[in-house]
Amino acid sequence: MRWTSRNLDTIGAALLTHAELVAAALALALLIALPLGLLVARRPGLRTALLGSASILYSLPTLALFALLVPVLGLGFAPALLALVTYAVPVLLRALLAGLASVPPAVVDAAEGMGLTHRQRLFRVELPLALPALLGGLRVASVTLVSAATVAAYISAGGLGTLILSGLDQGHTEKILVGAGLVTLLALLIDGTLGALQRRLPASG
Amino acid sequence: MRRRLLLGALAAHGLPFSPARAAPLLRVGSKNFTEQLVVAELFAQALERAGATVQRRVNLGGTAIAQQALLAGEIDLYPEYTGTGLGVVLRQPPQGDAAEVLAKVRAGYAPLGLDWLDPSGIDNGNALLVLPETARRHGLATLSDLARAAPQLTLAAGNEFADRADGLPGLRRVYGMEFRRFRQFAALGLRYAALNHGQADVVNAYATDWQIATYGFTTLRDDRRLWPPYQLAAVVRQQALRDFPGLAPPLLAIGARLDNAVMQELNRQVDQDGDEPREVAARFLKRQGLA
């Protein structure tokens, strides 16, 4: 553990950057996916088109995406964030739309019968019922992002990927273990927190 | 006030970056393997020593990303190999001797606003290695010698070597080389293990791999020039050279002290000893009287 004890500041900085990247990407992805999802939920044509283009975005190879983004966004945090957002938005969109689709038509009818407006129905009935599915999507997206954020190292954006990738290149097992171990811990931590939140939701019980 | 005193003191020492205003900010890049990280650290520390403020944007994930970063002005310089610049960036056939390849990359990069400084003594090209005992037994010094013995020998190489124009097909075309057996090893470390344990007689490698010096492998000379030179040099934005006339001399001073043997040892200190590139670079500069 000689390397670890001598490089605690480097490791701490990598962990912090990694967590920041994931948190920022999740927040931004939610801000994009929520309104988009609500917009297309009742428009099947738009919905298909949006999910299709989201899937294409999701399947773009990250390195290729980076080479394309560097002339526009430069190196560092911004292009890494954008790449991660393109990973998270499709997951969140699918989860939200699946959640909204799972609301029983009878419940929607009842809400309509009670005289709720479109907006009231959405916020008081449909979204709360879709929330467990959305949270599930958030869990999947966050765990995906924690591991995907390792590629940020390719564009000098820091994070735990820097340790893993240089460890692989140098055959430096300790570096790889520290980097990969912290990625796993971070993923478990976020997943556990969101899981606890999900279990405490009244709608899920 | 204290800051001004400090700047005055620096100016009195005649540092190349006149600190009349703020210290210039230079962004040093590198690709993501050991040698690149070490050389980028050498450049960065030498520039800091010369009075510049240096931002490290290292570990970039490949030639394409490093090149895009240079063009976008996101980095001011990074170490690159002439053969890579010619083949990968300019997409020209990587052929010619060292002077020709350097002239071609300089001509090709100039319209992009980029300069190649004079190369270091490093030429990190392709290499075929054998154990000294194998070289003795078959009388091997060059690839032409190897071509004669190849039908009795096993080659271990990376996945891409079987298909790359400068891999097996090139060896066949230029030297008429046919091995008894070809074994694929994706990881370089495994290839060295195979050589040491007699599972392969010949392996492909890169000329500055630290294992060559440490294990005492014999590098066979490419006497019919199948492979282009891969001289290491700093590629620098012309704008940065204009803005900071003191930029080139420290980089050239480092390049003049680097050759394949030195680089093998610096790579070894990172890959085998587990030292960080910045530590290795600092030690080297100190020993060379550059720090």
Side-chain angles (χ1 to χ4, degrees):
Chain A
M1 296 310 271
R2 186 177 81 112
W3 179 83
T4 305
S5 55
R6 281 169 60 187
N7 292 280
L8 282 176
D9 50 343
T10 311
I11 298 169
L15 178 62
L16 187 67
T17 309
H18 205 92
E20 281 170 1
L21 259 176
V22 171
L26 269 184
L28 199 57
L30 262 180
L31 279 179
I32 295 171
L34 274 181
L36 266 185
L38 294 179
L39 185 75
V40 303
R42 304 208 165 277
R43 298 178 178 82
L46 261 184
R47 184 190 143 116
T48 313
L50 187 69
L51 282 178
S53 34
S55 299
I56 292 174
L57 219 53
Y58 186 72
S59 62
L60 270 181
T62 321
L63 259 186
L65 193 63
F66 281 157
L68 295 174
L69 284 179
V70 167
V72 188
L73 290 177
L75 295 173
F77 199 80
L81 183 64
L82 185 62
L84 292 184
V85 167
T86 62
Y87 271 119
V89 165
V91 176
L92 294 177
L93 256 185
R94 279 184 189 283
L96 175 65
L97 291 173
L100 288 175
S102 72
V103 177
V107 176
V108 180
D109 284 348
E112 241 169 82
M114 286 166 67
L116 295 187
T117 66
H118 199 78
R119 174 179 293 265
Q120 286 170 328
R121 201 176 73 211
L122 183 65
F123 283 98
R124 294 198 196 161
V125 180
E126 288 173 288
L127 266 185
L129 285 176
L131 199 55
L134 181 62
L135 261 180
L138 201 60
R139 277 175 82 173
V140 175
S142 59
V143 173
T144 309
L145 284 192
V146 170
S147 99
T150 50
V151 299
Y154 283 135
I155 45 171
S156 211
L160 294 167
T162 311
L163 308 183
I164 299 175
L165 293 176
S166 64
L168 280 173
D169 176 57
Q170 294 162 13
H172 196 314
T173 316
E174 187 180 339
K175 260 191 199 184
I176 303 173
L177 286 179
V178 169
L182 287 175
V183 165
T184 310
L185 278 182
L186 193 61
L188 288 177
L189 184 75
I190 297 180
D191 190 54
T193 310
L194 288 175
L197 200 66
Q198 204 177 12
R199 278 190 299 279
R200 290 179 57 171
L201 281 182
S204 69
Chain B
M1 189 58 202
R2 217 175 130 178
R3 186 178 167 79
R4 193 166 302 161
L5 278 176
L6 182 65
L7 292 179
L10 288 171
H13 276 84
L15 291 168
F17 295 111
S18 159
R21 290 163 300 168
L25 173 69
L26 288 166
R27 288 150 313 165
V28 175
S30 86
K31 293 191 270 188
N32 55 354
F33 50 93
T34 300
E35 178 165 303
Q36 285 272 323
L37 294 167
V38 171
V39 174
E41 265 304 325
L42 288 170
F43 287 170
Q45 291 180 22
L47 290 170
E48 282 169 345
R49 178 73 195 154
T53 303
V54 174
Q55 193 184 351
R56 289 159 176 76
R57 311 192 90 172
V58 295
N59 245 323
L60 302 176
T63 305
I65 288 175
Q67 177 68 12
Q68 288 298 340
L70 260 187
L71 291 173
E74 287 286 317
I75 56 174
D76 294 303
L77 62 111
Y78 84 98
E80 186 52 281
Y81 307 90
T82 52
T84 308
L86 191 62
V88 177
V89 176
L90 298 177
R91 297 180 196 284
Q92 295 177 29
Q95 286 160 3
D97 63 25
E100 286 165 1
V101 170
L102 180 62
K104 282 188 203 167
V105 291
R106 280 184 163 154
Y109 273 62
L112 308 173
L114 304 172
D115 268 6
W116 283 77
L117 299 189
D118 287 342
S120 67
I122 293 172
D123 182 355
N124 188 8
N126 288 286
L128 288 186
L129 311 177
V130 295
L131 294 175
E133 188 200 317
T134 312
R136 229 181 357 257
R137 198 170 55 234
H138 296 278
L140 307 177
T142 64
L143 292 188
S144 294
D145 299 336
L146 180 63
R148 279 187 286 101
Q152 306 159 51
L153 302 175
T154 297
L155 170 73
N159 293 327
E160 73 296 344
F161 201 77
D163 305 317
R164 265 172 50 169
D166 61 353
L168 273 186
L171 288 172
R172 208 169 284 138
R173 180 171 50 80
V174 174
Y175 290 99
M177 207 181 285
E178 296 288 351
F179 286 95
R180 182 168 60 91
R181 222 179 131 200
F182 172 65
R183 304 182 67 165
Q184 289 196 352
F185 285 91
L188 201 55
L190 294 179
R191 269 177 262 160
Y192 285 116
L195 190 58
N196 271 330
H197 294 110
Q199 290 159 328
D201 306 300
V202 186
V203 299
N204 86 313
Y206 297 101
T208 58
D209 289 346
W210 61 267
Q211 291 92 338
I212 297 174
T214 303
Y215 299 130
F217 298 131
T218 302
T219 305
L220 301 176
R221 195 159 50 79
D222 178 19
D223 53 322
R224 300 179 71 170
R225 286 225 193 98
L226 163 62
W227 293 314
Y230 285 84
Q231 288 186 291
L232 180 80
V235 182
V236 190
R237 291 176 60 232
Q238 288 165 358
Q239 186 66 49
L241 288 168
R242 276 195 296 272
D243 290 347
F244 314 118
L247 174 57
L251 306 184
L252 292 171
I254 289 170
R257 286 167 168 82
L258 292 176
D259 60 25
N260 283 8
V262 170
M263 200 65 234
Q264 285 169 359
E265 168 58 18
L266 298 182
N267 286 335
R268 191 196 63 75
Q269 290 173 16
V270 175
D271 286 354
Q272 197 181 31
D273 295 349
D275 290 344
E276 285 297 293
R278 77 181 121 77
E279 301 164 343
V280 172
R283 265 203 309 266
F284 179 76
L285 290 178
K286 200 166 170 197
R287 214 175 317 120
Q288 294 289 323
L290 292 174

